[in-house]
Amino acid sequence: MQETNNGSEIKIQDQKLQQNKELNIWEALIPVVVLMLLLAYNIFFKDGAWLGDYSNQYILLMGGLVASIVGFLNKTTIKKMYLEVWENWKSVFVPILILLLVGALAGTWLISGIIPAMVYYGLQVLSPAIFLPASVIIAAIISIATGSSWTTSATVGIALVGIGTALGIPTGMIAGAVISGAYFGDKMSPLSDTTNLAPAMAGTDLFTHIKYMAYTTVPTIIVTLIVFTILSFTIDTSGNSDVTSLLSSIDKSFNITPWLFIVPLVVVALILLKTKPLIALGTGIVLAAIFAFIFQTDVLISLSDSKFQSVVNAVLFDTQITTDNDKLTELFSAGGMNGMKWTILLIICAMVFGGIMDGIGALAKITKELLSLAKSTFSLFLTTVFGCLGLNIAASDQYLAIVIPGKMFKDAFSDKGLAPENLSRTLEDSGTVTSVLIPWNTCGAYQSTVLGVGVGEYFLFAIFNWLSPIMTLIFAAFRIKIRQLASK
């Protein structure tokens, strides 16, 4: 999810799909095919820099242009397309503000010594032999408690990436472990907005949904933990297991004290109390700035002649703390709000593409065609999974990947005598968790930026996320825990 549940987010269930009788399925697929071809060309032939640093953003706009031409040729007005884009932009306004605050949080938590302290104490507790499965469990616990995968990554996720990097563990593995745990908690927490949204769309209640979802989610997280345990014993961390030099470097560069943990504990407490994320993160930034003045005077002076200016720069711009260890110097850097620019532009451009696709009726057309393929019970589950995946790609938003298939497939599940919790579980297993695997989806863009690890690097290791839809299809194929409607 993007932020903790506060009721206002669930209004997306009132989303109305745009219909267009003039549009056929082949025309609806043209923008998606063009987008995928352009992205593939950029990745495989131009090393991701075909059109410069913002290649993906330009490609999304090009896809949106193709979609608008298709819509114009099928009697969709420019005004209608613009209005849908505007609605999409409004829906990501708060997530964009959260991104800016997370950038500021990373900067202030660095100069205040909070992140270095997390790394310092974490290095003494987490050894390479247990680090990856431990990261999954830690992220899962925090995410269940807060109901937010975004908050989990922005707090303990950043720290775990720092600790794992210092231990010599590949960053893709670390990010995959963090994301796997964070999205397990996101799915199972009653505080999560997606966990509330899925049963609302399917027509069941929250706790029936969570209980039924556990049948596929628990085996998936167990497999994930087993794989990460095996990976832990195969990682070559020779020369990195002795962390004495790393601890010494951190100790020389920062004033490390347990009092620094007051700030992250306050932030987590505010989230548990259902405080709005903007307030919780803003509080974390202000407290970190205060702690920087109290505990890290030497650090602030080393960054600028003015300690106040050092804090402002950490909030807004790039900050790097130089240590006597090259690995730590690379690790102790943050981009501030400016570091979120690329991601914010990606989200804005993705909303252009998704909005135009909805405005011309392409999303509704594609979903209806998928529904028409659902002849058997298994094919109904299969088309629901592919519908969620397709919308995460085409609409670039996990909420729409739950709302649209939920609306479109609800009656089909009922007609086949299937209880609504079958649908709600499938929406979460394939809509919520796969959003982070799409680079231009709001979730993929957020996680890759916050953790500093590209989607391509962590994709394979986000085991829980790509295994979840497979697990739900296995259960459907063998009719395991497929609840039928009670006979009237």
Side-chain angles (χ1 to χ4, degrees):
M1 61 168 265
Q2 294 172 358
E3 49 179 306
T4 53
N5 178 40
N6 59 26
S8 64
E9 296 159 10
I10 307 301
K11 67 184 180 181
I12 197 169
Q13 63 188 281
D14 298 326
Q15 174 85 16
K16 294 182 179 179
L17 291 181
Q18 300 297 325
Q19 307 288 336
N20 187 346
K21 295 180 181 179
E22 301 288 334
L23 192 72
N24 63 50
I25 182 59
W26 303 112
E27 292 170 325
L29 287 172
I30 287 174
V32 178
V33 172
V34 170
L35 177 68
M36 299 307 294
L37 289 175
L38 291 175
L39 287 169
Y41 177 76
N42 182 46
I43 293 169
F44 295 112
F45 297 100
K46 295 297 181 179
D47 296 323
W50 177 30
L51 301 171
D53 292 338
Y54 297 93
S55 293
N56 286 345
Q57 288 87 338
Y58 289 129
I59 289 171
L60 283 164
L61 293 177
M62 290 162 67
L65 177 61
V66 172
S68 65
I69 293 172
V70 170
F72 184 75
L73 294 175
N74 284 276
K75 301 180 180 179
T76 302
T77 64
I78 294 177
K79 180 180 178 180
K80 191 172 186 180
M81 288 184 266
Y82 164 77
L83 288 175
E84 289 303 315
V85 171
W86 177 245
E87 288 299 316
N88 273 13
W89 280 346
K90 287 195 296 183
S91 74
V92 296
F93 178 70
V94 171
I96 285 174
L97 289 180
I98 290 175
L99 271 172
L100 290 172
L101 289 183
V102 167
L105 192 81
T108 54
W109 282 26
L110 173 62
I111 63 169
S112 64
I114 295 170
I115 291 175
M118 289 179 173
V119 174
Y120 183 85
Y121 291 111
L123 285 172
Q124 299 175 64
V125 177
L126 296 172
S127 69
I130 65 167
F131 182 81
L132 290 174
S135 295
V136 175
I137 294 170
I138 292 169
I141 291 171
I142 297 298
S143 191
I144 288 174
T146 63
S148 172
S149 58
W150 280 37
T151 300
T152 300
S153 297
T155 51
V156 298
I158 293 174
L160 288 169
V161 170
I163 296 166
T165 301
L167 289 170
I169 300 172
T171 54
M173 288 186 184
I174 306 167
V178 169
I179 288 169
S180 291
Y183 276 82
F184 168 82
D186 196 315
K187 280 182 63 182
M188 299 304 292
S189 174
L191 298 175
S192 167
D193 53 0
T194 56
T195 308
N196 283 271
L197 184 58
M201 289 295 95
T204 187
D205 66 272
L206 173 63
F207 290 102
T208 298
H209 167 63
I210 292 175
K211 179 181 177 181
Y212 204 66
M213 193 164 50
Y215 291 126
T216 56
T217 303
V218 172
T220 304
I221 198 65
I222 289 173
V223 172
T224 300
L225 285 168
I226 291 172
V227 173
F228 276 119
T229 301
I230 295 171
L231 285 173
S232 292
F233 289 106
T234 63
I235 299 170
D236 180 14
T237 56
S238 58
N240 294 292
S241 57
D242 181 7
V243 299
T244 304
S245 63
L246 294 174
L247 295 175
S248 177
S249 295
I250 296 173
D251 211 19
K252 290 177 183 177
S253 303
F254 296 91
N255 177 19
I256 300 299
T257 169
W259 290 107
L260 294 168
F261 287 96
I262 291 175
V263 178
L265 287 175
V266 168
V267 173
V268 172
L270 287 173
I271 293 169
L272 290 175
L273 292 171
K274 299 184 179 181
T275 306
K276 290 184 179 295
L278 294 176
I279 296 175
L281 293 173
T283 301
I285 294 167
V286 173
L287 287 178
I290 294 172
F291 273 49
F293 282 106
I294 297 173
F295 295 105
Q296 311 299 339
T297 303
D298 291 341
V299 172
L300 296 181
I301 292 174
S302 70
L303 294 172
S304 173
D305 294 335
S306 166
K307 289 183 285 186
F308 179 78
Q309 187 63 46
S310 295
V311 173
V312 172
N313 287 341
V315 170
L316 298 176
F317 307 113
D318 295 343
T319 300
Q320 186 165 56
I321 309 297
T322 302
T323 70
D324 57 9
N325 184 292
D326 291 339
K327 182 182 293 184
L328 289 177
T329 297
E330 183 179 351
L331 177 62
F332 292 153
S333 62
M337 290 186 177
N338 184 62
M340 295 295 168
K341 180 173 62 177
W342 189 94
T343 304
I344 290 171
L345 289 174
L346 184 71
I347 291 173
I348 290 173
C349 294
M351 291 301 100
V352 171
F353 178 74
I356 295 175
M357 285 289 288
D358 188 14
I360 68 174
L363 295 184
K365 176 64 69 174
I366 292 170
T367 310
K368 280 189 174 181
E369 287 297 321
L370 284 172
L371 183 59
S372 68
L373 299 175
K375 305 300 182 183
S376 64
T377 297
F378 176 73
S379 66
L380 179 58
F381 280 91
L382 183 64
T383 52
T384 304
V385 168
F386 276 101
C388 293
L389 288 171
L391 283 160
N392 264 327
I393 293 171
S396 309
D397 185 87
Q398 69 169 348
Y399 294 122
L400 293 179
I402 293 173
V403 171
I404 296 175
K407 287 185 174 183
M408 303 297 284
F409 290 93
K410 182 177 179 180
D411 290 341
F413 272 75
S414 178
D415 291 344
K416 290 192 179 296
L418 298 171
E421 48 265 38
N422 292 288
L423 174 58
S424 66
R425 181 178 72 185
T426 306
L427 293 175
E428 287 256 61
D429 282 345
S430 51
T432 299
V433 299
T434 61
S435 58
V436 74
L437 303 176
I438 312 300
W440 57 90
N441 189 286
T442 51
C443 294
Y446 175 88
Q447 297 289 349
S448 62
T449 301
V450 168
L451 297 176
V453 184
V455 175
E457 292 180 72
Y458 70 64
F459 186 100
L460 182 63
F461 300 107
I463 299 166
F464 177 81
N465 300 73
W466 55 255
L467 184 58
S468 289
I470 296 174
M471 186 66 72
T472 206
L473 290 177
I474 291 173
F475 271 60
F478 292 97
R479 300 192 68 83
I480 304 170
K481 295 297 180 181
I482 304 301
R483 184 173 294 173
Q484 304 293 312
L485 284 170
S487 56
K488 298 181 180 180

